[in-house]
């Protein structure tokens, strides 16, 4: 396997971090242990650390220390170079890189991208380092401010330098290309670059290029007076609010920052109101110049408005402040997960990632890491976008997860609930939903209600459900959402962040029913342990399964594990291994194991077996030396719900493992339950698995 890739741009401000983040994201879907290395850094983060290193370590949870991720600061580099000590520089870079190479499966090397005085030698330094490390390079070409012809010529001249220095080039990625230039540039690349070279073109995206209020605050050295929680607001434009109010309002565009003297209470209040008004665009924030704080009555008024517009005070005058605002550059930092998601999404959407990965990585990994699992799930869900209904629109976490899912273009959504309440929550949370891909329905006044009610009545009249009862049931989100899935108006449902498991899954059990050939609905959790993903079943549905039900759970769980790329080796858990123990509970598991063997001779299964013998190779070998499953089980079936539910929670709490699920299995169409303590990420993951189930 190729052990590393070097990403370099031939000039500054190419937006290279979009490419390194995108690359890290796709590489982690394929390779177990990756390091990030930046030979030379400029310490520019809030705590004076390199922001790219911090973002990589934090966001992707890389197993590296900050200090291992770089060799020199820019100041050190200049010093050693001025002392003509280039040999020491290169030797140190090589030895720090080798340390990472020895302890990791792959290293993503991020080249220098400096401005001003260093720009002239940066690219040649990158080439020199790549050459000394003997690793191939991906070239990032800057698109903004250039014609397609300029970009192509720049790439060709850079390629000549690489050729002269014998540094292999794998791909060229043009970034920040004006949308109108994307097609012509594709044509020019196809005509003038060699066919073996992979090329991709990422269009200019204002959301990525615009700074957020957080970067503005740092850039102007401001003090936050209001709106601390809304510093991720993007700033696309700025104006000076020195004119009369009516003129100021006419200058507002989407995401405008207003720089105004601190005593202009009229402008401050009007901008907060404009942000709330349907007739004006969104206001990014206010910077109050001149060291003037708003008057007391204005402060009192703003406090009562609970504004989502950050208001920042600076000591500098308006002119100087505006110059500082203009100089602020967009950066990606660890807390700005929205921008990180946008970056990885823009990269993936515009790059042939399969071919790129094939070029970079030449051998297949063994097993599946949690990161690979999660990456592959999201990628798979995006392949054929499904429509998922979320009945609990009154829960903020659902709205936050919905925004994330839509932003990453994973699914289409229907959110159930009162429209005005949902809109008010979105406003309060400062969340924007991609409206093209989401519908909000209130079951109570939906035109679908009469038909859904009649259908429920038909399906359940034998169970003593009359029309009035059906009408009442159908006003409930879980019933309405499940009926959408039954009718094919949605492909799957995810609920349970507010309601109990019973409330969520009962409608599905009542009329979505089980798949042909399956008589038991059960569930699995995908337990993302530190180094692998294993499957736990059933931890959520059947309190006291019979042997027949346990066999059903085992077979369904094995099929679920295959569906998600995990090779099933089934352990039927008990307090005894092999023939050592006796007792009713052990016999139940023994019978279930026999049933699995008889019904699915193709599936490797062992039981009864204890947990340690199932997962620990040494104990497995000692207790069941001839077993093909002992010591390497990937699907663990618990004898009852008490054991299963508490074990998954214990593993989750004690090891920090991510538990994805419960995913219901055996139903005709996918419906999944959330835990009431779920996080936004849990909801995101559950929607992703539901979408994948719907694809199958
Ligand atoms: N498989 C297939 N069908 C089922 C199943 C099943 N496992 N369970 C019930 N059904 C069917 C019944 O046959 C019945 O069909 P019918 O009405 O057409 O005759 C229908 O579903 C309703 O059956 P009930 O017996 O009324 O089921 P009930 O709603 O009482 O309970 C439930 C079903 C919710 C699954 C119950 O077994 C339960 O409460 N399980 C535990 C849930 C729980 O609390 N889990 C732990 C928390 S989850 C967590 O921690 C993530």
């Amino acid at each position: 396997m190729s052990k590393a890739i070097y990403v370099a741009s031939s000039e500054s401000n190419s937006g290279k971090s979009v490419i390194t983040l995108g690359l890290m994201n796709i590489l982690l879907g394929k390779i177990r242990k990756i390091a990030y290395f930046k030979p030379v850094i400029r310490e520019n983060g809030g705590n004076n650390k390199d922001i790219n290193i911090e973002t990589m370590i934090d966001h992707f949870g890389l197993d590296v220390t900050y200090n291992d991720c770089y060799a020199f600061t820019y100041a050190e580099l200049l010093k050693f170079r001025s002392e003509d000590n280039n040999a020491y520089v290169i030797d140190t870079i090589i030895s720090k890189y080798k340390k990472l190479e020895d302890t990791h499966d792959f290293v993503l090397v991020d080249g220098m991208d400096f401005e001003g005085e260093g720009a002239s030698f940066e690219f040649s330094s990158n080439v020199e380092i790549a050459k000394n490390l003997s690793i191939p390079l991906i070239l990032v070409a800057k698109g903004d401010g250039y014609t397609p012809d300029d970009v192509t010529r720049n790439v060709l001249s850079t390629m000549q330098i690489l050729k002269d220095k014998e540094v292999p080039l794998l791909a060229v990625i043009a970034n920040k290309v004006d949308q109108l230039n994307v097609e012509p540039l594709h044509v020019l690349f196809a005509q003038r670059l060699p066919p073996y070279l992979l090329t991709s073109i990422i269009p200019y995206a204002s959301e990525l290029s615009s700074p957020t209020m957080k970067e503005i605050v740092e850039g102007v050295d401001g003090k936050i007076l209001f709106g601390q929680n809304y510093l991720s607001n993007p700033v696309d434009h700025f104006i000076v609010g020195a004119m009369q109010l009516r003129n100021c309002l006419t200058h507002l565009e989407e995401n405008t920052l207003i720089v105004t003297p601190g005593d202009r209470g009229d402008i401050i209040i009007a901008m907060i109101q404009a942000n709330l008004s349907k007739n004006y665009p969104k206001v990014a924030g206010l910077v109050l110049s001149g060291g003037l704080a708003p008057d007391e009555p204005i402060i009192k008024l703003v406090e009562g408005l609970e504004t989502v517009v950050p208001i920042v005070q600076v000591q500098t005058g308006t002119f100087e402040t505006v110059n500082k605002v203009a100089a602020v550059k967009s950066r990606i930092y660890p807390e700005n997960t929205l921008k990180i998601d946008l970056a990885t999404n823009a990269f993936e959407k515009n790059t042939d990632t399969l071919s790129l990965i094939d070029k970079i990585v030449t051998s297949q990994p063994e097993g599946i890491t949690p990161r690979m699992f999660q990456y592959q799930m999201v990628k798979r869900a995006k392949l054929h976008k499904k429509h998922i209904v979320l009945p609990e629109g009154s829960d903020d976490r659902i709205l936050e997860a919905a925004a994330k899912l839509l932003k990453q273009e994973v699914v289409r959504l229907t959110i159930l609930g009162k429209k005005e309440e949902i809109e008010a929550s979105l406003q309060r949370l400062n969340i924007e939903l991609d409206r093209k891909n989401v519908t909000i329905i209130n079951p109570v006044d939906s035109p679908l209600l009469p038909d859904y009610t009649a259908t429920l009545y038909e399906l359940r009249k034998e169970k003593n459900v009359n029309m009035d009862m059906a009408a009442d049931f159908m006003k409930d989100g879980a019933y309405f959402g499940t009926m959408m899935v039954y009718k094919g108006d949605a492909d799957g449902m995810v609920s349970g962040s507010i309601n109990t498991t019973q409330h969520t899954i009962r409608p599905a059990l009542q009329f979505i029913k089980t798949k042909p050939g399956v008589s038991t609905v059960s569930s699995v959790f995908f337990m993302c342990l530190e180094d692998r993903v294993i499957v736990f079943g059933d931890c959520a549905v059947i309190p006291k399964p019979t042997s027949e039900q346990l066999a059903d759970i085992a077979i369904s769980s094995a099929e679920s594990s295959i569906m998600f790329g995990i090779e099933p080796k089934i352990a039927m858990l008990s307090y005894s291994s092999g023939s050592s123990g006796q007792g009713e509970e052990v016999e139940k598991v023994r019978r279930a194991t026999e049933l699995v063997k008889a019904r699915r001779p193709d599936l490797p299964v062992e039981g009864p077996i204890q947990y340690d013998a199932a997962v620990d190779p040494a104990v497995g070998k000692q207790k069941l030396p001839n077993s093909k499953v002992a010591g390497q089980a990937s699907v663990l079936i618990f004898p009852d719900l008490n054991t299963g539910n508490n074990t998954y929670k214990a593993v989750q709490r004690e090891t920090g493992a991510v538990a994805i699920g419960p995913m219901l299995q055996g139903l005709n169409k996918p419906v999944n339950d959330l835990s009431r303590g779920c996080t936004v990420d849990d909801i995101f993951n559950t929607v992703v698995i539901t979408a994948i189930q719907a694809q199958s």
Side-chain angles (χ1 to χ4, degrees):
M1 176 165 77
S2 163
K3 287 281 280 182
I5 190 81
Y6 198 106
V7 184
S9 49
S10 50
E11 58 186 309
S12 57
N13 285 327
S14 62
K16 181 159 59 68
S17 53
V18 170
I19 282 80
T20 48
L21 284 166
L23 264 175
M24 181 61 85
N25 192 42
I26 62 166
L27 286 167
L28 281 166
K30 194 82 181 171
I31 302 172
R32 297 174 77 87
K33 208 170 169 210
I34 305 188
Y36 174 75
F37 182 59
K38 234 180 145 177
V40 184
I41 59 165
R42 198 167 262 208
E43 300 187 307
N44 51 5
N47 50 5
N48 207 26
K49 282 189 169 177
D50 183 277
I51 214 163
N52 298 120
I53 297 181
E54 291 205 303
T55 305
M56 285 287 180
I57 295 180
D58 249 56
H59 186 75
F60 295 107
L62 301 184
D63 185 15
V64 274
T65 65
Y66 177 84
N67 286 339
D68 281 344
C69 289
Y70 75 97
F72 293 102
T73 64
Y74 189 58
E76 287 167 346
L77 179 77
L78 289 183
K79 177 177 166 287
F80 288 118
R81 289 238 159 120
S82 70
E83 292 166 359
D84 221 6
N85 211 346
N86 202 34
Y88 171 73
V89 169
I90 294 293
D91 286 354
T92 309
I93 289 174
I94 292 176
S95 77
K96 288 211 80 167
Y97 164 78
K98 285 285 170 197
K99 188 175 163 202
L100 291 176
E101 196 195 52
D102 288 347
T103 49
H104 292 76
D105 300 327
F106 195 86
V107 188
L108 173 60
V109 185
D110 192 352
M112 304 184 230
D113 47 351
F114 302 127
E115 296 143 38
E117 72 273 33
S120 53
F121 72 37
E122 281 147 23
F123 189 70
S124 52
S125 302
N126 278 322
V127 176
E128 189 185 0
I129 297 168
K131 167 99 186 143
N132 279 288
L133 299 180
S134 298
I135 50 183
L137 191 136
I138 290 178
L139 175 67
V140 181
K142 185 179 168 195
D144 58 332
Y146 291 121
T147 64
D149 194 52
D150 291 339
V151 177
T152 314
R153 274 193 286 113
N154 288 346
V155 168
L156 284 167
S157 65
T158 310
M159 282 174 65
Q160 190 56 49
I161 300 174
L162 293 170
K163 194 170 168 208
D164 292 347
K165 297 281 180 191
E166 296 173 335
V167 173
L169 179 64
L170 287 190
V172 171
I173 302 177
N175 190 26
K176 303 209 290 192
V177 176
D178 188 298
Q179 190 64 54
L180 290 173
N181 288 338
V182 169
E183 265 326 297
L185 187 55
H186 271 302
V187 173
L188 279 184
F189 273 3
Q191 284 170 353
R192 294 169 59 186
L193 301 187
Y196 62 82
L197 203 59
L198 253 169
T199 58
S200 83
I201 298 171
I202 303 178
Y204 183 90
S206 64
E207 308 101 302
L208 279 168
S209 300
S210 305
T212 61
M213 278 304 293
K214 177 178 155 72
E215 291 151 81
I216 297 283
V217 173
E218 283 170 13
V220 299
D221 196 15
K223 177 179 160 201
I224 302 158
L225 302 181
F226 297 99
Q228 169 81 45
N229 293 336
Y230 303 97
L231 295 180
S232 58
N233 281 0
V235 179
D236 292 343
H237 314 274
F238 63 88
I239 57 169
V240 178
M243 64 270 279
Q244 285 202 8
L245 177 57
R246 64 171 189 279
N247 294 326
C248 191
L249 283 168
T250 59
H251 282 85
L252 285 183
E253 293 177 76
E254 192 70 10
N255 299 324
T256 297
L257 167 76
I258 298 99
V259 181
T260 190
D263 57 358
R264 289 293 304 268
D266 57 332
I267 301 259
I268 298 170
I269 300 301
M271 291 306 125
I272 294 173
Q273 293 304 329
N275 185 62
L276 292 172
S277 166
K278 284 195 188 105
N279 298 333
Y280 282 92
K282 199 165 174 296
V283 172
L286 282 147
V287 174
L288 310 183
S289 57
L292 299 170
D295 293 333
E296 203 43 50
I298 301 288
I299 290 191
K300 198 170 165 193
L301 185 55
V302 177
E303 275 169 355
L305 290 172
E306 288 185 20
T307 180
V308 300
V309 176
I311 303 179
V312 178
Q313 188 188 0
V314 292
Q315 295 304 319
T316 45
T318 305
F319 181 70
E320 195 183 332
T321 309
V322 166
N323 281 340
K324 283 185 173 178
V325 167
V328 174
K329 293 218 168 57
S330 166
R331 287 181 306 165
I332 298 181
Y333 48 90
E335 303 87 59
N336 196 341
T337 50
L338 195 67
K339 223 183 222 180
I340 297 173
D341 288 348
L342 276 170
T344 52
N345 217 26
F347 175 80
E348 251 182 81
K349 206 168 151 188
N350 297 291
T351 307
D352 176 357
T353 52
L354 284 181
S355 306
L356 186 59
I357 281 282
D358 267 2
K359 277 203 160 210
I360 299 176
V361 185
T362 46
S363 73
Q364 292 297 315
E366 280 171 27
I368 185 163
T369 64
R371 182 82 217 174
M372 288 177 198
F373 182 70
Q374 280 170 291
Y375 172 79
Q376 284 167 12
M377 284 201 320
V378 174
K379 193 163 172 77
R380 212 163 127 193
K382 285 181 182 177
L383 267 182
H384 303 288
K385 248 200 250 176
K386 290 291 169 185
H387 175 190
I388 306 298
V389 53
L390 303 172
E392 293 161 324
S394 58
D395 186 332
D396 289 354
R397 293 167 298 175
I398 294 284
L399 300 180
E400 284 171 35
K404 203 169 157 188
L405 288 156
L406 294 170
K407 197 114 216 163
Q408 292 192 33
E409 301 178 41
V410 183
V411 285
R412 284 182 295 122
L413 293 174
T414 291
I415 302 176
L416 302 184
K418 292 183 185 151
K419 280 190 188 149
E420 323 71 60
E421 282 182 10
I422 292 177
E423 294 298 348
S425 301
L426 291 171
Q427 181 111 25
R428 175 173 47 80
L429 296 164
N430 201 20
I431 291 177
E432 298 220 12
L433 296 181
D434 168 12
R435 300 286 170 158
K436 293 186 301 299
N437 286 309
V438 64
T439 314
I440 300 174
I441 296 180
N442 185 355
V444 178
D445 56 28
S446 164
L448 298 167
L449 190 64
D451 174 45
Y452 282 10
T453 301
T455 307
L456 181 64
Y457 166 71
E458 277 307 318
L459 290 168
R460 300 293 294 169
K461 62 185 178 200
E462 311 301 329
K463 298 278 171 179
N464 297 327
V465 173
N466 61 33
M467 270 305 246
D468 287 345
M469 289 161 77
D472 271 354
F473 280 136
M474 235 356 114
K475 287 177 192 143
D476 175 83
Y479 271 91
F480 192 92
T482 308
M483 188 56 84
M484 284 185 75
V485 179
Y486 176 83
K487 288 276 196 180
D489 294 334
D491 301 310
M493 179 181 94
V494 173
S495 188
S497 65
I498 300 174
N499 294 296
T500 62
T501 300
Q502 287 90 332
H503 188 101
T504 303
I505 71 177
R506 194 173 283 138
L509 294 173
Q510 288 178 345
F511 57 87
I512 284 191
K513 294 283 178 193
T514 51
K515 281 182 193 161
V518 179
S519 52
T520 311
V521 173
S522 59
S523 73
V524 281
F525 275 96
F526 295 98
M527 301 299 296
C528 298
L529 307 179
E530 203 182 329
D531 60 342
R532 65 196 199 284
V533 181
I534 55 176
V535 176
F536 279 7
D538 163 38
C539 307
V541 181
I542 306 173
K544 283 187 187 168
T546 61
S547 293
E548 287 70 22
Q549 285 177 316
L550 263 187
D552 273 351
I553 296 169
I555 292 168
S556 292
S557 304
E559 280 168 357
S560 296
S561 82
I562 293 168
M563 188 193 288
F564 284 84
I566 299 164
E567 190 192 343
K569 292 187 180 175
I570 312 168
M572 306 292 284
L573 298 172
S574 171
Y575 58 80
S576 145
S577 291
S579 53
S580 69
Q582 305 275 315
E584 202 183 317
E585 288 302 304
V586 182
E587 284 314 312
K588 177 176 93 171
V589 175
R590 190 166 285 133
R591 263 200 317 281
T593 310
E594 291 314 314
L595 285 171
V596 175
K597 284 183 183 162
R599 282 169 54 193
R600 289 295 299 271
D602 56 311
L603 294 174
V605 59
E606 185 64 71
I609 183 169
Q610 288 154 290
Y611 196 104
D612 56 349
V615 299
D616 184 321
V619 182
K621 202 163 176 210
Q622 188 205 354
K623 292 197 173 174
L624 294 163
N626 300 320
S627 170
K628 289 197 177 107
V629 171
Q632 38 182 320
S634 57
V635 176
L636 294 117
I637 305 301
F638 295 95
D640 59 41
L641 197 52
N642 266 332
T643 321
N645 191 273
N646 283 298
T647 307
Y648 109 75
K649 284 190 197 291
V651 172
Q652 187 187 35
R653 300 284 144 173
E654 302 300 336
T655 70
V658 176
I660 300 179
M663 180 182 97
L664 293 189
Q665 50 193 12
L667 280 170
N668 252 324
K669 290 186 172 188
V671 165
N672 280 310
D673 177 37
L674 296 162
S675 145
R676 275 167 289 169
C678 64
T679 62
V680 171
D681 283 344
D682 292 334
I683 300 169
F684 182 95
N685 286 334
T686 307
V687 171
V688 169
I689 55 176
T690 310
I692 294 172
Q693 283 182 296
Q695 289 172 351
S696 331

